[in-house]
PDB file of all heavy atoms in Angstrom:
ATOM      1  N   SER F 126      19.220  -6.404 -29.016  1.00 93.00           N
ATOM      2  CA  SER F 126      17.825  -5.933 -28.888  1.00 93.00           C
ATOM      3  C   SER F 126      17.568  -5.461 -27.461  1.00 93.00           C
ATOM      4  O   SER F 126      16.917  -4.428 -27.239  1.00 93.00           O
ATOM      5  CB  SER F 126      16.819  -7.051 -29.175  1.00 93.00           C
ATOM      6  OG  SER F 126      17.061  -7.601 -30.410  1.00 93.00           O
ATOM      7  N   GLN F 127      18.075  -6.219 -26.485  1.00 93.00           N
ATOM      8  CA  GLN F 127      17.869  -5.856 -25.077  1.00 93.00           C
ATOM      9  C   GLN F 127      18.515  -4.509 -24.773  1.00 93.00           C
ATOM     10  O   GLN F 127      17.935  -3.641 -24.133  1.00 93.00           O
ATOM     11  CB  GLN F 127      18.448  -6.962 -24.179  1.00 93.00           C
ATOM     12  CG  GLN F 127      18.139  -6.782 -22.695  1.00 93.00           C
ATOM     13  CD  GLN F 127      16.621  -6.650 -22.458  1.00 93.00           C
ATOM     14  OE1 GLN F 127      15.828  -7.462 -22.942  1.00 93.00           O
ATOM     15  NE2 GLN F 127      16.218  -5.585 -21.740  1.00 93.00           N
ATOM     16  N   ARG F 128      19.739  -4.322 -25.291  1.00 95.00           N
ATOM     17  CA  ARG F 128      20.493  -3.084 -25.026  1.00 95.00           C
ATOM     18  C   ARG F 128      19.762  -1.873 -25.649  1.00 95.00           C
ATOM     19  O   ARG F 128      19.647  -0.827 -25.028  1.00 95.00           O
ATOM     20  CB  ARG F 128      21.899  -3.242 -25.618  1.00 95.00           C
ATOM     21  CG  ARG F 128      22.798  -2.061 -25.435  1.00 95.00           C
ATOM     22  CD  ARG F 128      23.584  -2.106 -24.127  1.00 95.00           C
ATOM     23  NE  ARG F 128      24.263  -0.830 -23.891  1.00 95.00           N
ATOM     24  CZ  ARG F 128      24.304  -0.203 -22.735  1.00 95.00           C
ATOM     25  NH1 ARG F 128      23.734  -0.726 -21.667  1.00 95.00           N
ATOM     26  NH2 ARG F 128      24.906   0.949 -22.613  1.00 95.00           N
ATOM     27  N   LEU F 129      19.228  -2.052 -26.874  1.00 94.00           N
ATOM     28  CA  LEU F 129      18.467  -0.967 -27.520  1.00 94.00           C
ATOM     29  C   LEU F 129      17.253  -0.606 -26.667  1.00 94.00           C
ATOM     30  O   LEU F 129      16.928   0.567 -26.485  1.00 94.00           O
ATOM     31  CB  LEU F 129      17.971  -1.389 -28.900  1.00 94.00           C
ATOM     32  CG  LEU F 129      18.927  -1.361 -30.072  1.00 94.00           C
ATOM     33  CD1 LEU F 129      18.143  -1.375 -31.389  1.00 94.00           C
ATOM     34  CD2 LEU F 129      19.814  -0.131 -30.064  1.00 94.00           C
ATOM     35  N   LYS F 130      16.579  -1.641 -26.147  1.00 94.00           N
ATOM     36  CA  LYS F 130      15.388  -1.413 -25.323  1.00 94.00           C
ATOM     37  C   LYS F 130      15.771  -0.643 -24.061  1.00 94.00           C
ATOM     38  O   LYS F 130      15.132   0.347 -23.705  1.00 94.00           O
ATOM     39  CB  LYS F 130      14.774  -2.769 -24.948  1.00 94.00           C
ATOM     40  CG  LYS F 130      13.276  -2.785 -25.161  1.00 94.00           C
ATOM     41  CD  LYS F 130      12.621  -3.956 -24.490  1.00 94.00           C
ATOM     42  CE  LYS F 130      12.269  -5.071 -25.443  1.00 94.00           C
ATOM     43  NZ  LYS F 130      12.077  -6.338 -24.776  1.00 94.00           N
ATOM     44  N   ASP F 131      16.877  -1.089 -23.391  1.00 94.00           N
ATOM     45  CA  ASP F 131      17.326  -0.424 -22.153  1.00 94.00           C
ATOM     46  C   ASP F 131      17.612   1.052 -22.405  1.00 94.00           C
ATOM     47  O   ASP F 131      17.329   1.915 -21.573  1.00 94.00           O
ATOM     48  CB  ASP F 131      18.601  -1.089 -21.606  1.00 94.00           C
ATOM     49  CG  ASP F 131      18.331  -2.518 -21.151  1.00 94.00           C
ATOM     50  OD1 ASP F 131      17.142  -2.882 -21.028  1.00 94.00           O
ATOM     51  OD2 ASP F 131      19.306  -3.272 -20.949  1.00 94.00           O
ATOM     52  N   LEU F 132      18.220   1.349 -23.581  1.00 94.00           N
ATOM     53  CA  LEU F 132      18.618   2.737 -23.856  1.00 94.00           C
ATOM     54  C   LEU F 132      17.514   3.511 -24.576  1.00 94.00           C
ATOM     55  O   LEU F 132      17.685   4.685 -24.901  1.00 94.00           O
ATOM     56  CB  LEU F 132      19.873   2.755 -24.734  1.00 94.00           C
ATOM     57  CG  LEU F 132      21.151   2.175 -24.128  1.00 94.00           C
ATOM     58  CD1 LEU F 132      22.301   2.270 -25.113  1.00 94.00           C
ATOM     59  CD2 LEU F 132      21.519   2.921 -22.843  1.00 94.00           C
ATOM     60  N   ASP F 133      16.392   2.819 -24.903  1.00 92.00           N
ATOM     61  CA  ASP F 133      15.294   3.429 -25.647  1.00 92.00           C
ATOM     62  C   ASP F 133      15.777   3.986 -26.995  1.00 92.00           C
ATOM     63  O   ASP F 133      15.438   5.107 -27.385  1.00 92.00           O
ATOM     64  CB  ASP F 133      14.669   4.548 -24.787  1.00 92.00           C
ATOM     65  CG  ASP F 133      13.228   4.790 -25.203  1.00 92.00           C
ATOM     66  OD1 ASP F 133      12.677   3.931 -25.911  1.00 92.00           O
ATOM     67  OD2 ASP F 133      12.668   5.836 -24.823  1.00 92.00           O
ATOM     68  N   LEU F 134      16.604   3.209 -27.686  1.00 90.00           N
ATOM     69  CA  LEU F 134      17.141   3.618 -28.996  1.00 90.00           C
ATOM     70  C   LEU F 134      16.336   2.964 -30.114  1.00 90.00           C
ATOM     71  O   LEU F 134      15.903   1.821 -29.974  1.00 90.00           O
ATOM     72  CB  LEU F 134      18.587   3.131 -29.147  1.00 90.00           C
ATOM     73  CG  LEU F 134      19.730   3.955 -28.588  1.00 90.00           C
ATOM     74  CD1 LEU F 134      21.058   3.297 -28.934  1.00 90.00           C
ATOM     75  CD2 LEU F 134      19.686   5.373 -29.133  1.00 90.00           C
ATOM     76  N   GLN F 135      16.156   3.684 -31.237  1.00 87.00           N
ATOM     77  CA  GLN F 135      15.462   3.127 -32.409  1.00 87.00           C
ATOM     78  C   GLN F 135      16.480   2.448 -33.328  1.00 87.00           C
ATOM     79  O   GLN F 135      17.499   3.051 -33.655  1.00 87.00           O
ATOM     80  CB  GLN F 135      14.777   4.242 -33.203  1.00 87.00           C
ATOM     81  CG  GLN F 135      13.497   4.768 -32.594  1.00 87.00           C
ATOM     82  CD  GLN F 135      12.480   3.665 -32.354  1.00 87.00           C
ATOM     83  OE1 GLN F 135      12.241   2.838 -33.229  1.00 87.00           O
ATOM     84  NE2 GLN F 135      11.914   3.624 -31.151  1.00 87.00           N
ATOM     85  N   PRO F 136      16.219   1.221 -33.780  1.00 86.00           N
ATOM     86  CA  PRO F 136      17.172   0.593 -34.705  1.00 86.00           C
ATOM     87  C   PRO F 136      17.109   1.215 -36.099  1.00 86.00           C
ATOM     88  O   PRO F 136      16.043   1.625 -36.541  1.00 86.00           O
ATOM     89  CB  PRO F 136      16.707  -0.867 -34.759  1.00 86.00           C
ATOM     90  CG  PRO F 136      15.268  -0.830 -34.379  1.00 86.00           C
ATOM     91  CD  PRO F 136      15.062   0.361 -33.477  1.00 86.00           C
ATOM     92  N   ILE F 137      18.258   1.291 -36.777  1.00 81.00           N
ATOM     93  CA  ILE F 137      18.296   1.707 -38.185  1.00 81.00           C
ATOM     94  C   ILE F 137      18.050   0.440 -39.002  1.00 81.00           C
ATOM     95  O   ILE F 137      18.627  -0.601 -38.690  1.00 81.00           O
ATOM     96  CB  ILE F 137      19.699   2.263 -38.538  1.00 81.00           C
ATOM     97  CG1 ILE F 137      20.019   3.484 -37.688  1.00 81.00           C
ATOM     98  CG2 ILE F 137      19.828   2.553 -40.022  1.00 81.00           C
ATOM     99  CD1 ILE F 137      21.450   3.965 -37.842  1.00 81.00           C
ATOM    100  N   PRO F 138      17.186   0.487 -40.060  1.00 66.00           N
ATOM    101  CA  PRO F 138      16.951  -0.742 -40.839  1.00 66.00           C
ATOM    102  C   PRO F 138      18.266  -1.318 -41.348  1.00 66.00           C
ATOM    103  O   PRO F 138      19.144  -0.567 -41.765  1.00 66.00           O
ATOM    104  CB  PRO F 138      16.095  -0.277 -42.022  1.00 66.00           C
ATOM    105  CG  PRO F 138      15.590   1.061 -41.662  1.00 66.00           C
ATOM    106  CD  PRO F 138      16.478   1.635 -40.606  1.00 66.00           C
TER     107      PRO F 138
END
Side-chain angles (χ1 to χ4, degrees):
S126 305
Q127 187 55 50
R128 180 89 190 136
L129 281 198
K130 227 194 258 160
D131 294 347
L132 295 180
D133 205 15
L134 275 183
Q135 284 304 313
I137 299 172

